[in-house]
Amino acid sequence: MHKKEIERLLKAMSEITSRARSEGRDLTAEEQAILRTYQSEYDYHQKALDEETKAEETRKAAEALLQRTATVRDIFKSHGFEKEGEEFLKRENFTIEEAKSAVLDLITKSGAPSSSRITIGDSGEDKYRAAAADALVIKGGLELEKPAEGARQMANMSLKDLAAECLERGGQFDSATLRHMSASEVFDEITQRAYQPTSAFSAIMDSAVKKSLEEAYKEVPTTFQLFTTKGTLHDFKEDKDRTYIYGSGDRLLKVPENGELKQSTIDTKVLPTRKLDTYGRQFSLTRQAFINDDIGLVLTIPTTYARIAKETINEQVYDILFNNGKIYDGKVLFDKTNHKNLATTDAKPSQTSIQSMILLMGRQTHPVSGKRIMNKPKFLITGVGYQFALATLFGSRYVPGSANNDINPLFDNPLSKNIIEEPYLNTLADAITGSTAKNVPWFMASDPLYCKGIQVDYLDGKETPTIRRNEATPGTLGFSWDIYHDWGVFVADYKGIYRNNGAPISEE
C-alpha cells in the first residue's frame, strides 16, 4: 500500500511542477500548499515503508538463523556428534560450511573408515533439491515464474523415479537394485529414512509442499487486504490496544524566554482487545498416492487450505461489517447517535448518498477535545452489481439525467480509483431469512493515514500459513504435514468505517 501511495504522490507532484514549467510561470500559492500536503503524505508513507522493510528484513534474518541452527544441529547429530554440535552453536557467528568442515575434522579424528560414503550436503545437492522441488510443483499443476534450473526437465519424473534417484544419490542403493524395486518397496525405503536429516526426498517434498502453499496463497482473490491495516502480535495473550490522547495538552504552547515547559495531561482510552487464534489442519502423502504417482492430489491439499485460510480472514472482516455487532465501547459498530457512522437514509450508491457519506465522515470529532478531525474517504466497498452505475457516476462530467447538464461534483473523485466489489456481501444478504427484498449494505473506509478502521493482526507479522512435516501417526502409511495460521481481526476505530444499509441489488 505504501509503495503505491509513494508512486502516486511522486506522479502528482511531478505533474504540478511540470505544468508550471510548461506554462513558464512560478507555482501558485494553491499549488505550493498542495505540494506541501503531498510532501507530508510522502514523508509519512516513506517512513512507514522503511519501517516495514526493516521489520521484514529482521524477520527474514531471524528465520534464516533458526533454519541455519537446525541444519547445523542436524549435521552434527546425523554423524553422532550431538554434544560437539551444541558447543559449535555457542559461537557468535557460524555458517553451514564451517559446520561441515568441523564435522569432517571430527570424523577424521574419530577414525571413521575412509571408504564409507558420507554426505554432508553441498551446493550441488542444494541445487538438485531445489530443481526437484520445483519440478514437483510444476508437475502438480502450478506455474512458477522462475523455476530452478533443470526443474522443467525433471517434471516428467514419477514420484517413484525421484525417490529412487534420491536413494541412489544418498548411497543407500545402486541403480541396478533400484530398477528392480517396485514402487511399494521404494516407498517403504524412503519412509524408513523420512526423518533422517540427510533424507533428500523428504526435504524435496517439504519444499514442494511449502512453495505450493505460498504460491497459492498469493493468488487467492480476496479484498480485505485492500482497506484494512496490518498489525503484529508476538504471543497469544490478550493485548489491550491503548492509545494515549492528549486532553488539555493537545497543542504545543509558546514558551517565553527563560520560561518553563508546562506539563501536559494525558487521557488514556482503552481500545479493543487484540488476540490471536490458531487455525489449522493436517494432511498426508499416502502410500496409495505415491504408488499412483498422484502428486497433483498431494499439492492440491495445501493449496486448498491456503485458499480457505485467506478466504476465512476475508469473511471474518466482512462479517464484522455486515453483522454490526457491539465493539470495544459496548455499542454497535454502526449507529446514527453514538458513533455517527451510519447513513440516515438507506439507499444504493448515488450522487446524493455518496456525498452524504463523505460529509458524514467530515463531521467526526476528537473523543477528548471535541474538535473536528481530519478524516478523508479512500475506499468505496460494495457488493457485486453496482460496477456499471458507479463507472457512470464517477466518469461523467455532468450529472447523468439532469435537466441543465449540472456539473458532476463526483467526476474523477479519488474514490473512483479504490472501488472494492465483494461478492461475500451479496452472499450474506442472500442468507437473511424472512425477506424477499434483501438490502446489500455498502461502506466507505477512511484513508488509514488519517484513521484506521478494521485491522488484521498476525503472529510476528507472518501473513502466510506455516507448514511443517510431523512424525508419522502410528498405523498411518505415508508422510504427514501440519498446516496452521495465526491471526486475529478487530475494529481498531469506528471513525474509520461508515455504512449505508443499502438497497436490494437487482440480478437482471
Side-chain angles (χ1 to χ4, degrees), residues 243-249 263-268:
T243 182
Y244 296 94
I245 304 173
Y246 285 88
S248 60
Q263 180 70 35
S264 65
T265 59
I266 300 177
D267 292 306
T268 302

PDB file of all heavy atoms in Angstrom, residues 243-249 263-268:
ATOM      1  N   THR A 243      -4.335   3.702  23.236  1.00  0.00           N
ATOM      2  CA  THR A 243      -3.867   4.915  22.570  1.00  0.00           C
ATOM      3  C   THR A 243      -3.961   6.048  23.565  1.00  0.00           C
ATOM      4  O   THR A 243      -4.924   6.134  24.326  1.00  0.00           O
ATOM      5  CB  THR A 243      -4.702   5.235  21.314  1.00  0.00           C
ATOM      6  OG1 THR A 243      -4.156   6.402  20.703  1.00  0.00           O
ATOM      7  CG2 THR A 243      -6.154   5.474  21.618  1.00  0.00           C
ATOM      8  N   TYR A 244      -2.976   6.887  23.565  1.00  0.00           N
ATOM      9  CA  TYR A 244      -2.944   7.993  24.514  1.00  0.00           C
ATOM     10  C   TYR A 244      -3.342   9.272  23.809  1.00  0.00           C
ATOM     11  O   TYR A 244      -2.705   9.700  22.868  1.00  0.00           O
ATOM     12  CB  TYR A 244      -1.538   8.128  25.119  1.00  0.00           C
ATOM     13  CG  TYR A 244      -1.172   6.917  25.915  1.00  0.00           C
ATOM     14  CD1 TYR A 244      -0.449   5.881  25.329  1.00  0.00           C
ATOM     15  CD2 TYR A 244      -1.599   6.771  27.223  1.00  0.00           C
ATOM     16  CE1 TYR A 244      -0.131   4.743  26.039  1.00  0.00           C
ATOM     17  CE2 TYR A 244      -1.285   5.622  27.940  1.00  0.00           C
ATOM     18  CZ  TYR A 244      -0.553   4.621  27.342  1.00  0.00           C
ATOM     19  OH  TYR A 244      -0.249   3.478  28.035  1.00  0.00           O
ATOM     20  N   ILE A 245      -4.421   9.864  24.286  1.00  0.00           N
ATOM     21  CA  ILE A 245      -5.000  11.019  23.632  1.00  0.00           C
ATOM     22  C   ILE A 245      -4.814  12.235  24.533  1.00  0.00           C
ATOM     23  O   ILE A 245      -5.222  12.238  25.695  1.00  0.00           O
ATOM     24  CB  ILE A 245      -6.500  10.789  23.352  1.00  0.00           C
ATOM     25  CG1 ILE A 245      -6.661   9.520  22.523  1.00  0.00           C
ATOM     26  CG2 ILE A 245      -7.123  11.972  22.658  1.00  0.00           C
ATOM     27  CD1 ILE A 245      -8.089   9.106  22.324  1.00  0.00           C
ATOM     28  N   TYR A 246      -4.211  13.256  23.990  1.00  0.00           N
ATOM     29  CA  TYR A 246      -3.955  14.454  24.773  1.00  0.00           C
ATOM     30  C   TYR A 246      -5.244  15.231  24.992  1.00  0.00           C
ATOM     31  O   TYR A 246      -6.006  15.486  24.071  1.00  0.00           O
ATOM     32  CB  TYR A 246      -2.937  15.339  24.045  1.00  0.00           C
ATOM     33  CG  TYR A 246      -1.551  14.795  24.135  1.00  0.00           C
ATOM     34  CD1 TYR A 246      -1.086  13.882  23.190  1.00  0.00           C
ATOM     35  CD2 TYR A 246      -0.726  15.143  25.175  1.00  0.00           C
ATOM     36  CE1 TYR A 246       0.181  13.345  23.282  1.00  0.00           C
ATOM     37  CE2 TYR A 246       0.549  14.621  25.274  1.00  0.00           C
ATOM     38  CZ  TYR A 246       1.000  13.721  24.331  1.00  0.00           C
ATOM     39  OH  TYR A 246       2.247  13.195  24.425  1.00  0.00           O
ATOM     40  N   GLY A 247      -5.471  15.614  26.268  1.00  0.00           N
ATOM     41  CA  GLY A 247      -6.652  16.396  26.606  1.00  0.00           C
ATOM     42  C   GLY A 247      -6.333  17.868  26.575  1.00  0.00           C
ATOM     43  O   GLY A 247      -6.236  18.495  25.534  1.00  0.00           O
ATOM     44  N   SER A 248      -6.111  18.454  27.748  1.00  0.00           N
ATOM     45  CA  SER A 248      -5.824  19.889  27.773  1.00  0.00           C
ATOM     46  C   SER A 248      -4.470  20.197  27.172  1.00  0.00           C
ATOM     47  O   SER A 248      -4.188  21.345  26.808  1.00  0.00           O
ATOM     48  CB  SER A 248      -5.865  20.395  29.228  1.00  0.00           C
ATOM     49  OG  SER A 248      -4.895  19.712  30.014  1.00  0.00           O
ATOM     50  N   GLY A 249      -3.601  19.191  27.057  1.00  0.00           N
ATOM     51  CA  GLY A 249      -2.288  19.416  26.462  1.00  0.00           C
ATOM     52  C   GLY A 249      -2.246  18.986  25.020  1.00  0.00           C
ATOM     53  O   GLY A 249      -1.303  18.374  24.579  1.00  0.00           O
ATOM     54  N   GLN A 263       3.626  20.928  31.906  1.00  0.00           N
ATOM     55  CA  GLN A 263       3.318  19.508  31.842  1.00  0.00           C
ATOM     56  C   GLN A 263       1.972  19.298  31.157  1.00  0.00           C
ATOM     57  O   GLN A 263       0.991  19.961  31.461  1.00  0.00           O
ATOM     58  CB  GLN A 263       3.276  18.915  33.258  1.00  0.00           C
ATOM     59  CG  GLN A 263       2.958  17.439  33.310  1.00  0.00           C
ATOM     60  CD  GLN A 263       4.094  16.596  32.772  1.00  0.00           C
ATOM     61  OE1 GLN A 263       5.253  16.925  32.944  1.00  0.00           O
ATOM     62  NE2 GLN A 263       3.760  15.514  32.115  1.00  0.00           N
ATOM     63  N   SER A 264       1.918  18.362  30.221  1.00  0.00           N
ATOM     64  CA  SER A 264       0.660  18.058  29.547  1.00  0.00           C
ATOM     65  C   SER A 264      -0.129  17.046  30.358  1.00  0.00           C
ATOM     66  O   SER A 264       0.410  16.337  31.205  1.00  0.00           O
ATOM     67  CB  SER A 264       0.920  17.504  28.144  1.00  0.00           C
ATOM     68  OG  SER A 264       1.579  16.257  28.247  1.00  0.00           O
ATOM     69  N   THR A 265      -1.409  16.997  30.100  1.00  0.00           N
ATOM     70  CA  THR A 265      -2.258  15.980  30.723  1.00  0.00           C
ATOM     71  C   THR A 265      -2.630  14.962  29.667  1.00  0.00           C
ATOM     72  O   THR A 265      -2.898  15.318  28.527  1.00  0.00           O
ATOM     73  CB  THR A 265      -3.546  16.588  31.302  1.00  0.00           C
ATOM     74  OG1 THR A 265      -4.271  17.232  30.258  1.00  0.00           O
ATOM     75  CG2 THR A 265      -3.201  17.609  32.388  1.00  0.00           C
ATOM     76  N   ILE A 266      -2.622  13.709  30.051  1.00  0.00           N
ATOM     77  CA  ILE A 266      -2.890  12.635  29.096  1.00  0.00           C
ATOM     78  C   ILE A 266      -4.079  11.817  29.569  1.00  0.00           C
ATOM     79  O   ILE A 266      -4.130  11.365  30.709  1.00  0.00           O
ATOM     80  CB  ILE A 266      -1.669  11.717  28.935  1.00  0.00           C
ATOM     81  CG1 ILE A 266      -0.470  12.524  28.426  1.00  0.00           C
ATOM     82  CG2 ILE A 266      -1.978  10.560  28.011  1.00  0.00           C
ATOM     83  CD1 ILE A 266       0.787  11.708  28.310  1.00  0.00           C
ATOM     84  N   ASP A 267      -5.054  11.659  28.678  1.00  0.00           N
ATOM     85  CA  ASP A 267      -6.189  10.781  28.954  1.00  0.00           C
ATOM     86  C   ASP A 267      -5.952   9.463  28.233  1.00  0.00           C
ATOM     87  O   ASP A 267      -5.579   9.449  27.066  1.00  0.00           O
ATOM     88  CB  ASP A 267      -7.492  11.407  28.451  1.00  0.00           C
ATOM     89  CG  ASP A 267      -7.867  12.638  29.248  1.00  0.00           C
ATOM     90  OD1 ASP A 267      -7.945  12.519  30.480  1.00  0.00           O
ATOM     91  OD2 ASP A 267      -8.082  13.705  28.642  1.00  0.00           O
ATOM     92  N   THR A 268      -6.181   8.378  28.941  1.00  0.00           N
ATOM     93  CA  THR A 268      -5.973   7.060  28.342  1.00  0.00           C
ATOM     94  C   THR A 268      -7.306   6.460  27.933  1.00  0.00           C
ATOM     95  O   THR A 268      -8.207   6.345  28.743  1.00  0.00           O
ATOM     96  CB  THR A 268      -5.274   6.117  29.336  1.00  0.00           C
ATOM     97  OG1 THR A 268      -4.048   6.700  29.726  1.00  0.00           O
ATOM     98  CG2 THR A 268      -5.022   4.766  28.707  1.00  0.00           C
TER      99      THR A 268
END
